Amino acid sequence: MDTTEYCEREMLSQPSLTTKADVMEQLKDLFIKIGFPEICFETQRFDFGKTGVHDEPILDVVSAILTMGFYPNVCYRKEKQKVYTTEGKAAVIHKSSVNCNNVMAGSFQSPFFVFAEKVLTRVVSCKQMTMVTPIHLLLFGARKIEYSKGFVLLDNWITLKMDVKAASAIVALRPAIESLIVHASEEPESITMLSEKYNRLINVLKDLCNFNCGRNNLSPISFVQDHNKFQRGGRGGYNQERGYHGYSSSFRGGYNQRGYYGGGRSVRGRGYRGYSGEEGIQRGFRTRWLISFI
């Protein structure tokens, strides 16, 4: 199959793809010049949409990292094309988004998306949307996390019903993630020879970024092919009024409750700023516990 036929079949713009490929090559050359190993830029093949539940795990990690790049561009899908953006402002899924074709009930098992930009025509629309999970938001997105009245509150507008100890354990990884990013930026040549603590952190993150992580007693999220398009299968068990349900403390990685939850003052001033609240959210982020875990 030639390039033109492929683009027509998949409804892709060949000029846009060519431009993006040229930009990627330029970025690759720049990264290599400043010390990043060439192995980091080797071409990878993904068998997306053909293996059901066990789809490419690395793509789940990519979706999670997009949260870091686009935040606070996060929206919550209420119904059909209607979404809510930061602080509950109303918007819609842009008609050019592939997600616009999957807005019927049951198409998405997580109501949360990150997006590249908002545009204003007759209404505010979100473009270039990627579905993410509440765990992705906890790891890479929310700037303020509180525990209030039995719910975990993100940036004063996203409400999650989940175990506070599990939320504390997840968010406690953020200083370590920041440390890894700083280390990779300052010493890019060391990426292929990371220390044991960073390798352990990366393995934990891979598990947490999996779309099926933390889905306590819920059906797994699957990736199915339908009419040459890929979509998320099933409803996924979220409550449209209160937030995302089903996340509990049954996360992989061997969390130690004493390592993340207990007495002591808030991390404010001693670690990752901006996290407060009751019980473990306020008291469980002490850096010495995080270091002992890694």
Side-chain angles (χ1 to χ4, degrees), residues 280-291:
I281 289 291
Q282 182 179 29
R283 300 178 292 178
F285 298 159
R286 297 186 66 177
T287 306
R288 64 182 179 87
W289 290 334
L290 179 64
I291 293 174

Side-chain angles (χ1 to χ4, degrees), residues 42-53:
E42 290 183 349
T43 301
Q44 299 185 52
R45 293 183 60 86
F46 298 109
D47 184 26
F48 182 69
K50 297 181 180 179
T51 54
V53 175

Side-chain angles (χ1 to χ4, degrees), residues 242-289:
R242 299 298 303 185
Y244 202 92
H245 283 231
Y247 286 85
S248 71
S249 57
S250 59
F251 300 105
R252 290 180 247 174
Y255 296 128
N256 185 317
Q257 290 186 356
R258 294 186 61 190
Y260 291 107
Y261 181 77
R265 57 176 176 165
S266 168
V267 71
R268 188 180 302 278
R270 298 188 59 186
Y272 202 91
R273 292 181 178 271
Y275 297 95
S276 61
E278 300 172 14
E279 300 180 353
I281 289 291
Q282 182 179 29
R283 300 178 292 178
F285 298 159
R286 297 186 66 177
T287 306
R288 64 182 179 87
W289 290 334

Side-chain angles (χ1 to χ4, degrees), residues 1-293:
M1 181 184 301
D2 62 24
T3 305
T4 302
E5 184 181 349
Y6 175 81
C7 290
E8 289 179 353
R9 190 192 72 177
E10 301 294 335
M11 292 184 289
L12 299 171
S13 169
Q14 186 172 348
S16 295
L17 292 178
T18 301
T19 301
K20 290 179 180 179
D22 292 340
V23 172
M24 288 176 61
E25 284 299 316
Q26 293 176 29
L27 290 173
K28 172 184 172 181
D29 292 340
L30 287 174
F31 277 115
I32 291 175
K33 286 180 180 178
I34 63 177
F36 283 85
E38 290 192 36
I39 192 174
C40 296
F41 306 98
E42 290 183 349
T43 301
Q44 299 185 52
R45 293 183 60 86
F46 298 109
D47 184 26
F48 182 69
K50 297 181 180 179
T51 54
V53 175
H54 304 289
D55 262 298
E56 303 286 355
I58 191 63
L59 295 180
D60 291 352
V61 177
V62 171
S63 295
I65 294 176
L66 286 176
T67 306
M68 179 183 291
F70 287 131
Y71 202 86
N73 284 2
V74 171
C75 63
Y76 168 82
R77 177 176 172 265
K78 178 67 174 178
E79 57 185 359
K80 296 185 178 179
Q81 289 179 274
K82 187 176 182 179
V83 298
Y84 291 107
T85 61
T86 306
E87 298 178 352
K89 296 179 180 178
V92 298
I93 301 174
H94 195 274
K95 62 182 180 181
S96 67
S97 172
V98 294
N99 294 299
C100 189
N101 298 314
N102 295 328
V103 295
M104 297 303 293
S107 292
F108 304 110
Q109 290 182 303
S110 171
F112 298 106
F113 293 80
V114 294
F115 58 92
E117 61 177 332
K118 287 190 290 187
V119 295
L120 177 61
T121 52
R122 289 183 300 175
V123 294
V124 176
S125 302
C126 299
K127 298 183 67 176
Q128 298 175 314
M129 297 171 57
T130 299
M131 191 176 80
V132 295
T133 72
I135 296 180
H136 296 168
L137 297 177
L138 287 169
L139 281 173
F140 301 109
R143 294 169 180 170
K144 181 182 179 182
I145 301 176
E146 298 177 306
Y147 179 75
S148 177
K149 299 179 181 180
F151 294 91
V152 177
L153 183 64
L154 312 185
D155 291 336
N156 297 321
W157 75 281
I158 296 177
T159 303
L160 306 177
K161 184 179 180 181
M162 64 183 299
D163 183 82
V164 66
K165 298 179 184 178
S168 299
I170 293 170
V171 180
L173 292 172
R174 292 179 67 154
I177 296 171
E178 190 171 316
S179 174
L180 174 59
I181 293 172
V182 171
H183 174 74
S185 301
E186 293 179 343
E187 303 178 41
E189 66 283 350
S190 68
I191 289 178
T192 57
M193 300 177 294
L194 290 174
S195 64
E196 176 63 20
K197 71 173 184 178
Y198 284 136
N199 283 323
R200 291 179 64 191
L201 172 64
I202 290 171
N203 289 333
V204 171
L205 291 178
K206 287 179 179 179
D207 283 342
L208 289 175
C209 289
N210 189 300
F211 270 90
N212 285 303
C213 179
R215 293 182 61 78
N216 186 36
N217 295 324
L218 295 176
S219 59
I221 292 178
S222 61
F223 299 81
V224 295
Q225 185 173 357
D226 182 24
H227 302 299
N228 294 322
K229 290 185 179 294
F230 300 101
Q231 63 182 21
R232 313 286 182 180
R235 176 174 292 277
Y238 64 88
N239 183 299
Q240 291 184 340
E241 294 181 357
R242 299 298 303 185
Y244 202 92
H245 283 231
Y247 286 85
S248 71
S249 57
S250 59
F251 300 105
R252 290 180 247 174
Y255 296 128
N256 185 317
Q257 290 186 356
R258 294 186 61 190
Y260 291 107
Y261 181 77
R265 57 176 176 165
S266 168
V267 71
R268 188 180 302 278
R270 298 188 59 186
Y272 202 91
R273 292 181 178 271
Y275 297 95
S276 61
E278 300 172 14
E279 300 180 353
I281 289 291
Q282 182 179 29
R283 300 178 292 178
F285 298 159
R286 297 186 66 177
T287 306
R288 64 182 179 87
W289 290 334
L290 179 64
I291 293 174
S292 66
F293 169 76

